[in-house]
Amino acid sequence: MKMNIVYKAMTGVLLLCAGTAAMAWAQGGDLSLLQSIDRGMWHLRAVGGGPSGASVNQICVGDPVKLTQIQHGTALCEHYVVRSSPTSVTVSYSCKGAGQGLTTIRKESGKLIHIQSQGIRNNSPFSFAVEGRHVGAC
């Protein structure tokens, strides 16, 4: 009887651990969509006609992951994929001592993307939406 209770308890713990690991993996996603974006010079244009709110109007992209943290430039940040699909990826990131953000990148093609980002930089909030067009080499 005692052995049966211990067995059921251990089975429950193992199932809970397996379920938690599966959930963390599913939420984690991946950044493979970003790796399919063309490298080079990108022109960023505000969506909706107003100022973009982005810290740059052009960006040289060697590593497309940097598109997730435009407001934080070259800061070393930790990235966590919140959601990913074949056409978009949402990334939460944190830059120790510099702020954090949440960015969604939707890919129309290797040369056309849409970026929405919001977060905190230098203790101030930011939010912007831009269309990015690949314009050539850096």
Side-chain angles (χ1 to χ4, degrees):
M1 179 74 166
K2 269 188 176 181
M3 200 60 148
N4 193 18
I5 292 172
V6 170
Y7 176 76
K8 286 181 181 179
M10 290 299 291
T11 301
V13 168
L14 289 174
L15 287 174
L16 178 63
C17 290
T20 302
M23 186 170 65
W25 179 82
Q27 290 175 345
D30 64 49
L31 294 171
S32 60
L33 172 83
L34 295 180
Q35 298 309 318
S36 66
I37 293 174
D38 290 355
R39 272 75 170 163
M41 187 62 71
W42 284 79
H43 177 75
L44 305 178
R45 182 180 60 84
V47 175
S52 74
S55 57
V56 295
N57 289 327
Q58 287 197 23
I59 185 170
C60 181
V61 176
D63 178 6
V65 173
K66 292 297 182 182
L67 290 169
T68 65
Q69 63 178 65
I70 290 172
Q71 290 289 16
H72 290 90
T74 60
L76 296 176
C77 305
E78 293 182 19
H79 298 87
Y80 177 76
V81 178
V82 177
R83 184 179 323 127
S84 64
S85 75
T87 58
S88 71
V89 63
T90 299
V91 176
S92 174
Y93 67 92
S94 178
C95 312
K96 193 171 187 172
Q100 63 209 18
L102 180 69
T103 302
T104 298
I105 298 177
R106 184 170 47 91
K107 179 183 168 188
E108 299 278 333
S109 70
K111 297 183 183 303
L112 177 63
I113 58 175
H114 296 272
I115 303 171
Q116 291 182 316
S117 188
Q118 61 184 350
I120 303 291
R121 178 177 170 235
N122 297 331
N123 295 320
S124 295
F126 67 85
S127 178
F128 67 88
V130 294
E131 175 184 85
R133 289 190 181 272
H134 185 262
V135 293
C138 295

